Amino acid sequence: NAGVMQNPRHLVRRRGQEARLRCSPMKGHSHVYWYRQLPEEGLKFMVYLQKENIIDESGMPKERFSAEFPKEGPSILRIQQVVRGDSAAYFCASSPLGQGGLNYGYTFGSGTRLTVV
Amino acid sequence: AQRVTQPEKLLSVFKGAPVELKCNYSYSGSPELFWYVQYSRQRLQLLLRHISRESIKGFTADLNKGETSFHLKKPFAQEEDSAMYYCALSGGGSNYKLTFGKGTLLTVNP
């Protein structure tokens, strides 16, 4: 089991471009969570998705950010028209459960480091 | 609102010395507390959680509700303990969402 796979590991975008971050959950996990870590900060929850459903997007910025987890393929975090303030590490986690997932195999990926120039 | 505070950004000890990484939280209900560790060039991984009352790699942490603390302790630090440590909280019935502190970078010197 390769664990939670995130790619790319590093992504550089110019201001105004789009960034697409991918997360493949562990085998058998159908719940995906995205977190953002700004410089000098702790990780902050963004969104929780199940296949084809957004369950909790309370931490997502209202504009330019979107997330999906299609029936087939990885979960995608999409940032449109990136700005310098979007530069951060974006982490994905997955679990086999939603409620209670923290106590049952909640596993993080290695993260994608986005730099906006 | 829930908040996790790790007052020390950096902590440096010598091998064999005791180590304590501090964590205080703010939450009105009954939280679940976790410690995560990130070794150099590795992914974030769970070290321990308070409900398990376990000891992992010699580390322990006790939840003190009176002081709203969940400090991580180890009696004899090893060089391989050098890493970034994050305290995290889950509460409000959403047992899938973590609130993290800013982390403490522990360096254990030979």
Side-chain angles (χ1 to χ4, degrees):
Chain A
N1 196 328
V4 178
M5 302 302 294
Q6 289 189 249
N7 65 80
R9 290 295 300 272
H10 300 276
L11 182 62
V12 179
R13 285 287 177 266
R14 296 186 184 279
R15 281 177 294 170
Q17 291 184 318
E18 179 179 288
R20 291 171 69 89
L21 289 63
R22 288 177 290 278
C23 169
S24 296
M26 282 184 70
K27 188 175 180 181
H29 289 195
S30 58
H31 301 261
V32 166
Y33 319 85
W34 286 93
Y35 289 79
R36 177 168 66 171
Q37 184 178 29
L38 294 169
E40 308 290 317
E41 297 288 324
L43 284 75
K44 284 186 167 48
F45 172 83
M46 299 180 76
V47 63
Y48 160 32
L49 309 104
Q50 292 179 26
K51 289 279 187 181
E52 301 183 285
N53 283 302
I54 296 175
I55 307 301
D56 180 353
E57 55 181 349
S58 58
M60 286 281 271
K62 293 288 187 284
E63 297 177 349
R64 302 186 297 108
F65 284 72
S66 62
E68 63 176 6
F69 189 16
K71 188 176 181 181
E72 300 292 337
S75 175
I76 306 288
L77 180 67
R78 183 181 176 204
I79 311 171
Q80 295 179 290
Q81 299 177 326
V82 296
V83 300
R84 289 236 172 97
D86 297 332
S87 294
Y90 292 82
F91 291 92
C92 168
S94 73
S95 76
L97 298 175
Q99 289 294 336
L102 280 169
N103 295 314
Y104 294 97
Y106 198 100
T107 305
F108 281 90
S110 297
T112 293
R113 275 150 184 80
L114 172 65
T115 302
V116 179
V117 297
Chain B
Q2 48 197 39
R3 183 181 301 153
V4 175
T5 303
Q6 293 180 251
E8 301 140 329
K9 191 173 177 179
L10 302 168
L11 183 62
S12 182
V13 300
F14 286 102
K15 177 182 173 181
V19 63
E20 180 179 67
L21 292 88
K22 291 184 168 49
C23 171
N24 289 91
Y25 67 89
S26 172
Y27 183 68
S28 56
S30 293
E32 291 192 46
L33 275 297
F34 304 80
W35 276 99
Y36 279 83
V37 60
Q38 189 172 29
Y39 300 102
S40 180
R41 301 182 187 281
Q42 293 188 27
R43 61 190 66 197
L44 198 64
Q45 53 189 289
L46 177 67
L47 181 62
L48 55 79
R49 51 194 178 202
H50 90 270
I51 61 171
S52 301
R53 301 188 66 79
E54 57 201 343
S55 173
I56 303 293
K57 300 184 179 182
F59 285 97
T60 59
D62 290 318
L63 179 61
N64 186 322
K65 291 187 178 181
E67 296 183 358
T68 59
S69 69
F70 188 56
H71 303 327
L72 184 67
K73 301 177 184 179
K74 185 169 183 176
F76 308 104
Q78 303 299 314
E79 289 180 68
E80 55 266 30
D81 296 328
S82 296
M84 193 73 176
Y85 290 81
Y86 293 96
C87 183
L89 173 156
S90 172
S94 61
N95 196 1
Y96 57 79
K97 180 178 3 184
L98 289 162
T99 298
F100 283 86
K102 293 185 179 184
T104 298
L105 180 61
L106 173 66
T107 301
V108 181
N109 300 297

Coordinates of all heavy atoms in Angstrom, one line a residue, chain B residues 26-69:
Chain B
S26 N -7.9 25.4 23.8 CA -9.1 26.2 24.1 C -10.2 25.5 23.4 O -10.3 25.5 22.2 CB -8.9 27.6 23.7 OG -10.1 28.3 23.9
Y27 N -11.1 25.0 24.2 CA -12.3 24.3 23.6 C -13.3 24.1 24.7 O -13.0 23.7 25.8 CB -11.9 22.9 23.0 CG -13.1 22.2 22.4 CD1 -13.6 22.8 21.2 CD2 -13.7 21.1 22.9 CE1 -14.7 22.1 20.6 CE2 -14.7 20.5 22.3 CZ -15.3 21.0 21.2 OH -16.3 20.4 20.6
S28 N -14.6 24.4 24.5 CA -15.6 24.5 25.5 C -16.2 23.1 25.8 O -16.7 22.9 26.9 CB -16.8 25.4 25.0 OG -17.3 25.0 23.8
G29 N -16.0 22.1 24.9 CA -16.6 20.8 25.2 C -15.5 19.8 25.6 O -14.6 20.2 26.3
S30 N -15.7 18.6 25.2 CA -14.7 17.5 25.5 C -14.0 17.2 24.3 O -14.4 16.5 23.4 CB -15.5 16.3 26.0 OG -16.1 16.5 27.2
P31 N -12.7 17.7 24.2 CA -12.0 17.5 22.9 C -11.3 16.1 22.9 O -11.1 15.5 24.0 CB -11.0 18.6 23.0 CG -10.7 18.7 24.5 CD -12.0 18.4 25.2
E32 N -10.8 15.8 21.7 CA -9.9 14.7 21.6 C -8.6 15.3 21.2 O -8.5 16.2 20.3 CB -10.3 13.7 20.5 CG -11.5 12.9 21.0 CD -11.8 11.7 20.0 OE1 -10.9 11.0 19.7 OE2 -13.0 11.6 19.6
L33 N -7.5 14.9 21.9 CA -6.2 15.5 21.6 C -5.2 14.5 21.0 O -5.2 13.3 21.3 CB -5.6 16.1 22.9 CG -6.0 17.5 23.4 CD1 -5.5 18.5 22.4 CD2 -7.4 17.6 23.7
F34 N -4.4 15.0 20.1 CA -3.4 14.2 19.3 C -2.1 14.9 19.3 O -2.0 16.1 19.3 CB -3.9 14.0 17.9 CG -5.3 13.4 17.7 CD1 -6.4 14.3 17.9 CD2 -5.5 12.1 17.4 CE1 -7.7 13.7 17.7 CE2 -6.7 11.6 17.3 CZ -7.8 12.4 17.4
W35 N -1.0 14.1 19.2 CA 0.3 14.6 18.8 C 0.7 13.9 17.5 O 0.6 12.7 17.3 CB 1.3 14.2 19.9 CG 1.4 15.2 21.0 CD1 0.8 15.1 22.2 CD2 2.0 16.5 21.0 NE1 1.0 16.2 23.0 CE2 1.8 17.1 22.3 CE3 2.8 17.2 20.1 CZ2 2.3 18.3 22.6 CZ3 3.3 18.4 20.4 CH2 3.1 19.0 21.7
Y36 N 1.1 14.8 16.5 CA 1.6 14.3 15.3 C 3.1 14.7 15.2 O 3.5 15.7 15.7 CB 0.8 15.0 14.1 CG -0.5 14.3 13.8 CD1 -1.6 14.6 14.5 CD2 -0.6 13.4 12.8 CE1 -2.8 14.0 14.2 CE2 -1.8 12.7 12.5 CZ -2.9 13.1 13.2 OH -4.1 12.5 13.0
V37 N 3.8 13.9 14.4 CA 5.3 14.2 14.3 C 5.6 14.1 12.8 O 5.0 13.3 12.0 CB 6.1 13.1 15.1 CG1 5.8 11.7 14.6 CG2 7.6 13.4 15.0
Q38 N 6.5 15.0 12.4 CA 7.0 15.0 11.0 C 8.5 15.0 11.1 O 9.2 16.0 11.4 CB 6.5 16.2 10.3 CG 6.8 16.2 8.8 CD 6.1 17.3 8.1 OE1 5.9 18.4 8.6 NE2 5.8 17.1 6.8
Y39 N 9.1 13.8 10.7 CA 10.6 13.7 10.6 C 11.0 14.3 9.3 O 10.2 14.5 8.4 CB 11.0 12.3 10.7 CG 10.6 11.6 12.0 CD1 9.5 10.7 12.1 CD2 11.3 11.8 13.2 CE1 9.1 10.1 13.2 CE2 10.9 11.3 14.4 CZ 9.8 10.4 14.4 OH 9.4 9.8 15.6
S40 N 12.3 14.7 9.3 CA 12.8 15.4 8.1 C 12.5 14.6 6.8 O 12.7 13.4 6.7 CB 14.3 15.5 8.2 OG 14.8 16.2 7.1
R41 N 11.9 15.3 5.8 CA 11.6 14.7 4.5 C 10.5 13.6 4.6 O 10.5 12.8 3.6 CB 12.8 14.3 3.8 CG 13.8 15.4 3.6 CD 15.0 14.8 2.8 NE 16.1 15.8 2.8 CZ 16.1 16.9 1.9 NH1 15.1 17.0 1.1 NH2 17.1 17.7 1.9
Q42 N 9.8 13.5 5.7 CA 8.8 12.5 5.7 C 7.4 13.1 5.9 O 7.3 14.3 6.2 CB 9.1 11.5 6.9 CG 10.3 10.7 6.7 CD 10.5 9.6 7.7 OE1 9.5 9.1 8.3 NE2 11.7 9.2 8.0
R43 N 6.4 12.3 5.8 CA 5.0 12.8 5.9 C 4.6 12.9 7.4 O 5.2 12.3 8.3 CB 4.0 11.9 5.2 CG 4.0 10.5 5.6 CD 3.2 9.6 4.6 NE 3.8 9.5 3.3 CZ 3.2 9.2 2.2 NH1 1.9 8.9 2.2 NH2 3.9 9.1 1.1
L44 N 3.6 13.7 7.6 CA 3.1 13.9 9.0 C 2.5 12.5 9.4 O 1.7 11.9 8.7 CB 2.0 14.9 8.9 CG 1.5 15.6 10.2 CD1 2.6 16.4 10.8 CD2 0.3 16.5 9.9
Q45 N 2.8 12.1 10.6 CA 2.3 10.8 11.1 C 1.8 10.9 12.5 O 2.4 11.7 13.3 CB 3.3 9.7 10.9 CG 4.6 10.0 11.5 CD 5.6 8.9 11.1 OE1 5.6 7.8 11.6 NE2 6.6 9.2 10.3
L46 N 0.8 10.2 12.9 CA 0.3 10.2 14.2 C 1.3 9.6 15.2 O 1.8 8.5 15.0 CB -1.0 9.4 14.3 CG -1.7 9.3 15.6 CD1 -2.2 10.6 16.1 CD2 -2.8 8.2 15.6
L47 N 1.5 10.3 16.3 CA 2.4 9.8 17.3 C 1.6 9.1 18.4 O 1.8 8.0 18.8 CB 3.3 10.9 17.9 CG 4.3 10.5 19.0 CD1 5.3 9.5 18.5 CD2 5.0 11.8 19.5
L48 N 0.6 9.9 19.0 CA -0.3 9.3 20.0 C -1.5 10.2 20.1 O -1.5 11.3 19.7 CB 0.5 9.1 21.3 CG 1.2 10.2 22.0 CD1 0.2 11.1 22.7 CD2 2.2 9.7 23.0
R49 N -2.5 9.6 20.8 CA -3.8 10.3 21.0 C -4.2 10.0 22.5 O -3.9 8.9 23.0 CB -4.8 9.8 20.1 CG -5.0 8.3 20.0 CD -5.8 7.9 18.8 NE -5.9 6.5 18.7 CZ -6.1 5.8 17.6 NH1 -6.3 6.4 16.5 NH2 -6.2 4.5 17.7
H50 N -4.9 11.0 23.1 CA -5.1 10.8 24.5 C -6.0 9.7 24.9 O -5.9 9.1 25.9 CB -5.6 12.2 25.1 CG -7.1 12.3 25.1 ND1 -7.8 12.9 24.0 CD2 -8.0 12.0 26.0 CE1 -9.1 12.9 24.3 NE2 -9.2 12.4 25.5
I51 N -7.0 9.4 24.0 CA -8.0 8.3 24.3 C -7.3 7.0 24.4 O -7.8 6.1 25.1 CB -9.1 8.3 23.3 CG1 -8.7 8.0 21.9 CG2 -9.9 9.6 23.4 CD1 -9.8 7.7 21.0
S52 N -6.1 6.8 23.8 CA -5.5 5.5 23.8 C -4.6 5.3 25.1 O -4.3 4.2 25.4 CB -4.6 5.3 22.6 OG -5.4 5.4 21.4
R53 N -4.3 6.4 25.7 CA -3.4 6.4 26.9 C -2.2 5.5 26.6 O -1.9 4.6 27.4 CB -4.2 5.9 28.1 CG -5.4 6.8 28.4 CD -6.0 6.4 29.7 NE -5.1 6.7 30.8 CZ -4.9 7.9 31.4 NH1 -5.5 9.0 30.9 NH2 -4.1 8.0 32.4
E54 N -1.6 5.6 25.5 CA -0.5 4.7 25.1 C 0.9 5.5 25.2 O 0.9 6.7 25.3 CB -0.7 4.2 23.7 CG -0.8 5.3 22.6 CD -1.6 4.9 21.4 OE1 -1.7 3.7 21.1 OE2 -2.0 5.8 20.6
S55 N 1.9 4.7 25.1 CA 3.2 5.3 25.0 C 3.9 4.8 23.7 O 3.9 3.6 23.5 CB 4.1 4.8 26.2 OG 5.4 5.2 26.1
I56 N 4.3 5.7 22.9 CA 4.9 5.4 21.6 C 6.3 6.0 21.6 O 6.5 7.2 21.9 CB 4.0 6.0 20.5 CG1 2.6 5.6 20.5 CG2 4.6 5.7 19.1 CD1 2.4 4.1 20.3
K57 N 7.2 5.1 21.2 CA 8.6 5.6 21.2 C 9.1 6.2 22.4 O 9.9 7.1 22.4 CB 8.9 6.5 20.0 CG 8.5 5.9 18.6 CD 8.8 6.8 17.5 CE 8.5 6.1 16.1 NZ 8.9 6.9 15.0
G58 N 8.5 5.8 23.6 CA 8.9 6.4 24.8 C 8.2 7.7 25.2 O 8.4 8.2 26.3
F59 N 7.4 8.2 24.3 CA 6.6 9.4 24.6 C 5.3 9.1 25.2 O 4.6 8.2 24.9 CB 6.3 10.2 23.3 CG 7.5 10.9 22.7 CD1 8.3 10.3 21.7 CD2 7.9 12.2 23.1 CE1 9.3 11.0 21.1 CE2 8.9 12.8 22.6 CZ 9.7 12.2 21.6
T60 N 4.9 10.0 26.2 CA 3.6 10.0 26.8 C 3.0 11.4 26.8 O 3.8 12.4 26.7 CB 3.7 9.4 28.2 OG1 4.5 10.3 29.0 CG2 4.2 8.0 28.3
A61 N 1.7 11.4 26.9 CA 1.0 12.7 27.0 C -0.2 12.5 27.9 O -1.0 11.6 27.6 CB 0.7 13.3 25.7
D62 N -0.4 13.4 28.8 CA -1.6 13.3 29.7 C -2.5 14.5 29.5 O -2.0 15.6 29.5 CB -1.2 13.2 31.2 CG -0.6 11.8 31.5 OD1 -1.1 10.8 31.0 OD2 0.4 11.8 32.2
L63 N -3.8 14.2 29.3 CA -4.7 15.3 29.1 C -5.1 15.9 30.5 O -5.5 15.1 31.4 CB -6.0 14.8 28.4 CG -7.1 15.9 28.2 CD1 -6.6 17.0 27.3 CD2 -8.3 15.2 27.6
N64 N -4.8 17.1 30.7 CA -5.1 17.8 32.0 C -6.2 18.8 31.7 O -6.0 19.9 31.2 CB -3.9 18.5 32.5 CG -4.1 19.1 33.9 OD1 -5.2 19.7 34.2 ND2 -3.1 19.1 34.8
K65 N -7.5 18.4 32.0 CA -8.6 19.3 31.7 C -8.6 20.6 32.5 O -9.1 21.6 32.1 CB -9.9 18.5 31.8 CG -10.1 17.4 30.8 CD -11.4 16.8 30.9 CE -11.6 15.7 29.8 NZ -12.9 15.1 29.8
G66 N -8.1 20.5 33.7 CA -8.1 21.7 34.6 C -7.2 22.8 34.0 O -7.5 23.9 34.1
E67 N -6.0 22.3 33.5 CA -5.1 23.3 32.9 C -5.2 23.4 31.4 O -4.5 24.1 30.8 CB -3.7 22.9 33.3 CG -3.4 22.9 34.8 CD -1.9 22.5 35.1 OE1 -1.2 22.2 34.2 OE2 -1.6 22.6 36.3
T68 N -6.2 22.7 30.9 CA -6.4 22.6 29.4 C -5.0 22.4 28.7 O -4.6 23.2 27.8 CB -7.1 23.8 28.8 OG1 -6.4 25.0 29.1 CG2 -8.5 23.9 29.4
S69 N -4.3 21.4 29.1 CA -3.0 21.1 28.5 C -2.9 19.6 28.1 O -3.6 18.8 28.6 CB -1.9 21.4 29.5 OG -1.9 20.5 30.6

